[in-house]
Amino acid sequence: MAGRQFIGKPARRVDAADKVTGRTRYVADYQLPGMLYARCLRSEWPHAVMTHLDVSPALNVPGVAAVITSADFVDDGRFGFPVRDQYILAHERVRHVGEAIAAVAAETPEAAAAGLHAIRCELEPLPAVFESAQALAPDAPQIGPDRSDGRHPNFLHSEIVRLGDPDRALPQCPVVLDAAYSVAQQEHAYLETEGALAIPTPEGGVVVYASNQSPFINREILASVLGLPADRVRVIQAPVGGSFGGKDDLNYQASAQCAALALKSGRPVRMTFPREESMIASYKRDAMHMRVRLGALPNGDLQVCKFTGRLDSGAYASQSVFTSWRAAVHAMGAYRYEHCHVDIDCVYTNNGYAGAFRGFGNTEVCFAIEQAIDEMADALGQDPLAFRLRNCLRLGDETAFGQRLEESVGLAECLEAVRKASGWDEKRAAYARQPAGPIRRGLGVAAVFHGTSLGAEGADYAASTISVAEDYSIALTSGLTDYGTGAATVFTLIAAEELGTRPERIRLLRPDTNTSLESGPTVASRSTMLGGNAARLAAQNLRQMLDFAAASLLNCPQNRLLRVGEAYIGPSEEPATWERIVDHARSLGLILSAHGRWSAPHIHWDSQAGRGSAYIAYHFGAHVAEVTVDMRTGKTDVTGFWAAHDVGATIFPQGAMGQVYGGVAQGLGYALMEEARYEAGYLQATNFDTYLIPTAKDVPDITCILLEKPYSQGPFGAKNVAEPAMVPAAPAICNAIAHATGRRVRDLPANLERVLLGHALSHSDGGLACKIGLARPR
Amino acid sequence: MLIQFTLNGRPVSVEAPAHLTLLTVLRDYFHLTGAKEGCSIGECGTCAVLVDGELVNSCLMLAPKVAARTVLTIEGVSPADGSLSDLQEAFIAYGAVQCGFCTPGMVLAGEALLAQTLTPTREQIRTALAGNLCRCTGYQQIVDAIAAAGAQRKEVN
Ligand code: FES
Ligand code: FES
């Protein structure tokens, strides 16, 4: 970009030096004097009533300092938003395997484990439901909370989109597709497991370090379940070793458990999860069953989409209400229709619960719609990429839910970019002619649109503070967390650009509920736009003071000031260093401290009508995957990958590309190998020997193309990238498998047996293989 | 038992139970927390260190096994003056770091490979990293960084 010093230029990640030297201290790296180790007793049953719970024997175990149950929290420790159905520690009932029942703090991890063994807990198993299709059966056991509206208590939520009348229009379409798809639960597999460290304060409050996503939400929950005023609870953001949506609920529970144990024992308490416990206890990406019906004209014009989905929220609601809304809004894909109905229902089961995970509903529905679009192109005898270009949303179009796209729409350009970069036309033609043989090659495409930030889901704002310190460095805060995404670097570069100072001068302080300003949750790829705008406004406010001081020192109107590097130059052409300007500002009595708050423009969604403006802006992207399938074994190798994304504007190029590469890799895992399978409520893979994620050898070199269709409200035009980078990868790969083999894999993951046989082998021997070992031997 | 070995260039000795893993001894006895526990079953590589120049998962190695050998952790990789090694610099320049949890192990895996060849192919680099999981980066910029550091070392020599 012309005239920009830092935005869009290669930059150093602000926290990278500490990370490459191993100096970054994650929660598990903290060792405080007198610190206790905490551990939870967890349910070994998917659904049971607690008939007896006596924790007092644990206190007789040498080394045990404190033990807690739901009785140690206000209102039994109930929390959750928007549905308050979860507990810090289980109350009267457990609803999934791995649910925490009691927590012990002791001098050593061994003593904590011994304390758990001493707890007397009797669980009486209840009938359970594991198939979402059976959750609403009249005789299904109740899992969800009581409802006042007469609906089945296992019904959690539904969301709709409505346009026209698909039921009338579909039978009239000359070409019709009707297909069912499903996706399994997915584990986040962040390499750092969950953790929290709580320190009691002399005033009777508590300081919590946690690797959570949203410290302000953590504080709100802590204050409410501990019965403390908010100013007695301080949450300091610890570095996060990967999150992808996964460091919310369970970390808030761990924080509250540590805090209660710290208050009870008067000592610091740390809890970190072994991998097995993390996998068993943590929430997953939801599993979803979907049916897609599409209708088109013989010329290739899409007319109708009817999409139904059933989301398994597992034992608790967590974020599923919001997930199902995002799923509904994106279910029809980035295409124009005359008629479109979407119905997403979500239900409770006794599987581990589902929560936020990169893409948040869109990853699930995109798998279905982008394969359906391919199948429709096949039925029409059209090239799938050309078919997408013919029907995709363009500037000025209206989405199926009735939002006119007035700016920053780069989907067609993304499709053209991957077409060119991948050599689509030549390769598709060549692979169509490939000789019969055991090794087949194929090329597949998928497109994505993804609403930025929270949209009509919630109040959308962020805030930053900025101040000049004694040593002339600049301290910047944000209420949003950088859990590895590079957001801290983005905020720093934006502030540096606005102030005209070197990024090295700026120190981004860690989010801390005592020093940063509330900014809502760090979710939904909202950091760059929301947090970036807040940092920009804060820096502009500080800059006004410095410009005022410079004009005063250099004796000229502000519009005569020039900048050379950090220095200011007035008409006398004598440069004044930045430090001199700061000194002068102080001598004028200015306090060099400012803040900025940015709220997203208001938009409205009518959930009854299933229409409205869902998000302030949309990210667009397209992926092409190239695969080789061995028809003897079903083994699929992804041998090439091209990803084009309309990011609005690029602020931190290495960071944005890293989001794309990482997103593609997660999508590749989702497509080919990852399945957090529950058998009768028991998770079947509990560590990296059985839950496989892509290694460096599974991921090919990826060509990343960043396109820039600036969004007027984004900082320097930027939108978002973290989530949509993953969303279309799995369908692109499955479309490539279909191209290579002529077989459609409509259920994820596309593992050996599904590619080879077209269906999964039965796993009836799996049974209760979950390596629970969490509490005590039976 | 008393275990004596060379740790990051210094002779050390530690009195620790024989059943402890090298990872536990490094983290709890020497307070070197750069090696992380990601799985404790030898599958993720976040605990990787170099023992006599070879990349090992310290969660699987019992501490007494390093007696009289040399151990290099991430804390011993940087030059003594506190600056960064060329490989560490390359990780930053190429954007190979996101959450950072895999990074110490990745840097050491890179060092182990570059000790064998300064001109590895991308395939060779990917093979050398196969025991180190990264959930954030998709590996590409890590491969870029190791290749670049190798080329730079080659030029210098
Ligand atoms: S902790 Fe050692 S390999 Fe995972
Ligand atoms: S940078 Fe997060 S696991 Fe590699």
Side-chain angles (χ1 to χ4, degrees):
Chain A
M1 282 286 161
R4 296 211 175 130
Q5 290 191 70
F6 307 114
I7 299 293
K9 307 276 164 61
R12 287 170 77 88
R13 219 192 136 86
V14 295
D15 52 0
D18 282 342
K19 286 176 171 174
V20 295
T21 51
R23 285 196 299 257
T24 300
R25 288 170 79 199
Y26 302 85
V27 169
D29 300 331
Y30 281 92
Q31 205 83 296
L32 302 185
M35 187 182 85
L36 301 170
Y37 297 82
R39 191 87 197 263
C40 282
L41 178 75
R42 293 185 181 275
S43 170
E44 301 183 13
W45 294 100
H47 198 193
V49 59
M50 236 183 275
T51 51
H52 182 74
L53 180 61
D54 179 8
V55 294
S56 58
L59 289 169
N60 299 329
V61 172
V64 170
V67 52
I68 53 168
T69 67
S70 66
D72 289 279
F73 296 97
V74 175
D75 191 21
D76 305 309
R78 197 147 68 101
F79 75 103
F81 180 82
V83 184
R84 229 166 131 253
D85 63 355
Q86 229 177 329
Y87 295 85
I88 300 298
L89 290 166
H91 179 61
E92 292 173 354
R93 264 166 72 180
V94 292
R95 295 173 181 81
H96 70 93
V97 172
E99 182 163 358
I101 295 169
V104 168
E107 304 288 344
T108 63
E110 294 74 24
L116 295 182
H117 283 268
I119 292 174
R120 279 200 285 272
C121 171
E122 280 161 30
L123 296 177
E124 199 174 290
L126 295 170
V129 186
F130 307 111
E131 296 297 331
S132 59
Q134 288 154 22
L136 302 184
D139 59 343
Q142 175 173 354
I143 304 157
D146 294 333
R147 294 184 70 100
S148 51
D149 61 0
R151 295 196 70 152
H152 199 298
N154 293 347
F155 168 79
L156 171 56
H157 190 68
S158 64
E159 289 285 355
I160 57 169
V161 167
R162 290 289 180 266
L163 167 69
D165 187 354
D167 293 321
R168 188 184 52 77
L170 198 62
Q172 288 160 23
C173 283
V175 189
V176 172
L177 173 94
D178 184 349
Y181 306 87
S182 75
V183 291
Q185 284 95 345
Q186 185 183 23
E187 158 67 34
H188 300 80
Y190 25 70
L191 285 191
E192 179 213 27
T193 58
E194 298 76 4
L197 166 61
I199 303 158
T201 64
E203 304 80 39
V206 65
V207 177
V208 173
Y209 292 87
S211 69
N212 51 199
Q213 285 185 195
S214 307
F216 285 94
I217 292 181
N218 198 357
R219 181 181 67 173
E220 192 182 314
I221 295 172
L222 283 165
S224 106
V225 299
L226 297 171
L228 289 173
D231 63 0
R232 291 275 170 89
V233 181
R234 176 179 185 182
V235 179
I236 302 176
Q237 179 66 49
V240 182
S243 177
F244 321 112
K247 294 255 170 95
D248 277 334
D249 319 35
L250 187 58
N251 263 336
Y252 304 146
Q253 286 172 318
S255 296
Q257 290 153 3
C258 286
L261 288 165
L263 290 170
K264 221 169 185 179
S265 64
R267 291 167 62 178
V269 176
R270 193 189 79 193
M271 182 185 292
T272 46
F273 287 50
R275 178 62 59 184
E276 285 80 7
E277 185 172 4
S278 164
M279 285 208 183
I280 292 167
S282 69
Y283 58 89
K284 307 286 183 267
R285 181 191 300 287
D286 52 275
M288 214 190 283
H289 288 272
M290 296 161 279
R291 181 177 173 197
V292 187
R293 277 159 284 186
L294 293 178
L297 300 179
N299 67 2
D301 286 346
L302 271 172
Q303 299 288 297
V304 182
C305 174
K306 193 167 160 65
F307 191 113
T308 55
R310 190 180 62 250
L311 184 160
D312 180 359
S313 187
Y316 293 101
S318 185
Q319 296 294 300
S320 293
V321 166
F322 300 125
T323 313
S324 50
W325 181 66
R326 192 175 271 273
V329 167
H330 294 89
M332 74 300 292
Y335 305 100
R336 294 183 307 270
Y337 299 95
E338 302 293 324
H339 307 270
C340 172
H341 280 191
V342 178
D343 289 85
I344 305 284
D345 292 331
C346 53
V347 299
Y348 288 103
T349 69
N350 292 112
N351 294 316
Y353 67 107
F357 196 151
R358 197 177 202 165
F360 206 72
N362 195 9
T363 312
E364 297 86 316
V365 296
C366 186
F367 171 74
I369 190 68
E370 283 299 316
Q371 286 218 79
I373 290 288
D374 242 52
E375 297 198 57
M376 179 51 103
D378 265 358
L380 290 161
Q382 296 198 1
D383 174 81
L385 203 152
F387 179 62
R388 283 176 172 82
L389 277 170
R390 179 182 188 103
N391 290 288
C392 74
L393 291 172
R394 291 168 190 259
L395 193 65
D397 283 346
E398 201 171 288
T399 64
F401 42 87
Q403 179 172 8
R404 187 157 306 280
L405 300 174
E406 274 153 4
E407 59 170 324
S408 192
V409 184
L411 180 51
E413 289 84 348
C414 287
L415 283 163
E416 292 289 7
V418 288
R419 176 185 213 160
K420 190 152 167 258
S422 67
W424 174 269
D425 295 325
E426 308 78 56
K427 282 182 183 161
R428 283 284 294 197
Y431 296 161
R433 292 191 306 267
Q434 65 189 309
I439 306 291
R440 311 283 304 167
R441 308 190 73 181
L443 205 61
V445 64
V448 61
F449 80 129
H450 191 86
T452 66
S453 195
L454 296 180
E457 274 174 74
D460 227 1
Y461 60 91
S464 249
T465 69
I466 194 164
S467 57
V468 184
E470 277 313 305
D471 63 356
Y472 304 100
S473 69
I474 297 165
L476 176 67
T477 74
S478 168
L480 299 178
T481 305
D482 182 346
Y483 37 91
T485 55
T489 309
V490 166
F491 303 156
T492 302
L493 294 174
I494 287 173
E497 188 74 45
E498 285 296 342
L499 285 170
T501 57
R502 290 170 295 118
E504 296 76 37
R505 199 185 270 285
I506 299 174
R507 291 175 291 124
L508 190 82
L509 306 182
R510 108 183 3 284
D512 175 334
T513 55
N514 273 25
T515 59
S516 12
L517 301 175
E518 226 269 77
S519 294
T522 313
V523 298
S525 309
R526 61 198 289 273
S527 293
T528 294
M529 191 186 301
L530 278 286
N533 269 328
R536 185 176 192 183
L537 289 175
Q540 280 172 356
N541 290 341
L542 179 62
R543 164 99 187 235
Q544 279 176 8
M545 289 189 252
L546 291 166
D547 285 357
F548 176 82
S552 150
L553 181 74
L554 300 172
N555 246 322
C556 69
Q558 285 189 30
N559 60 13
R560 299 286 307 277
L561 290 168
L562 292 175
R563 298 293 295 271
V564 171
E566 294 187 318
Y568 280 81
I569 302 183
S572 67
E573 301 199 354
E574 188 61 26
T577 64
W578 200 76
E579 285 81 355
R580 254 188 85 200
I581 302 295
V582 167
D583 286 340
H584 186 69
R586 288 185 172 138
S587 75
L588 294 174
L590 293 173
I591 297 170
L592 294 177
S593 162
H595 75 273
R597 187 180 197 276
W598 193 78
S599 300
H602 184 71
I603 43 177
H604 180 68
W605 178 262
D606 182 341
S607 54
Q608 297 302 313
R611 295 186 66 71
S613 288
Y615 297 93
I616 50 176
Y618 295 86
H619 174 110
F620 295 91
H623 286 182
V624 165
E626 186 170 18
V627 302
T628 302
V629 182
D630 186 331
M631 299 297 281
R632 294 160 301 196
T633 60
K635 184 164 179 350
T636 302
D637 286 316
V638 181
T639 52
F641 210 100
W642 296 265
H645 289 275
D646 166 17
V647 296
T650 312
I651 292 182
F652 172 33
Q654 296 109 310
M657 309 239 272
Q659 288 301 310
V660 173
Y661 300 139
V664 169
Q666 280 183 6
L668 186 152
Y670 191 47
L672 297 180
M673 58 188 87
E674 295 185 33
E675 181 175 24
R677 200 165 58 81
Y678 289 89
E679 184 93 13
Y682 292 82
L683 187 66
Q684 298 299 300
T686 58
N687 204 328
F688 291 125
D689 53 346
T690 42
Y691 190 86
L692 303 184
I693 65 171
T695 71
K697 285 183 74 69
D698 297 316
V699 184
D701 275 331
I702 297 158
T703 302
C704 168
I705 302 158
L706 299 179
L707 291 166
E708 305 194 331
K709 293 265 171 195
Y711 170 52
S712 59
Q713 302 291 307
F716 300 96
K719 298 189 282 192
N720 56 340
V721 63
E723 291 186 279
M726 170 180 189
V727 173
I733 290 169
C734 289
N735 286 336
I737 292 174
H739 185 228
T741 65
R743 272 192 207 140
R744 271 285 147 200
V745 180
R746 295 193 184 86
D747 307 289
L748 279 189
N751 50 19
L752 302 184
E753 58 223 44
R754 287 208 174 103
V755 174
L756 199 60
L757 307 172
H759 58 83
L761 295 171
S762 88
H763 292 277
S764 53
D765 56 335
L768 313 184
C770 163
K771 289 176 227 158
I772 183 111
L774 295 173
R776 57 192 153 163
R778 296 203 194 193
Chain B
M1 75 182 275
L2 187 72
I3 311 165
Q4 295 182 297
F5 60 107
T6 305
L7 177 57
N8 295 334
R10 283 185 307 123
V12 294
S13 61
V14 62
E15 183 63 49
H19 69 274
L20 293 188
T21 63
L22 177 58
L23 179 61
T24 303
V25 168
L26 290 172
R27 289 179 59 88
D28 293 354
Y29 288 68
F30 290 100
H31 305 292
L32 295 177
T33 54
K36 310 290 181 197
E37 181 189 307
C39 71
S40 68
I41 58 165
E43 292 285 340
C44 75
T46 56
C47 63
V49 300
L50 301 187
V51 176
D52 290 341
E54 196 190 321
L55 191 71
V56 303
N57 288 330
S58 65
C59 70
L60 287 187
M61 182 176 268
L62 291 179
K65 287 270 260 193
V66 299
R69 300 169 74 181
T70 66
V71 175
L72 183 74
T73 71
I74 191 66
E75 289 86 353
V77 164
S78 317
D81 64 3
S83 64
L84 301 179
S85 76
D86 53 352
L87 181 58
Q88 288 168 323
E89 284 288 354
F91 265 64
I92 298 177
Y94 284 85
V97 180
Q98 287 188 32
C99 84
F101 207 75
C102 71
T103 309
M106 288 290 181
V107 170
L108 289 165
E111 286 296 352
L113 175 66
L114 294 181
Q116 285 165 22
T117 169
L118 293 179
T119 52
T121 63
R122 293 182 75 82
E123 234 9 78
Q124 281 174 312
I125 299 174
R126 287 182 180 277
T127 303
L129 298 180
N132 292 72
L133 297 177
C134 174
R135 190 56 156 170
C136 300
T137 65
Y139 304 102
Q140 186 147 323
Q141 289 154 309
I142 298 175
V143 175
D144 294 344
I146 294 171
Q152 200 188 332
R153 281 184 201 182
K154 174 116 183 138
E155 206 159 283
V156 172
N157 290 336

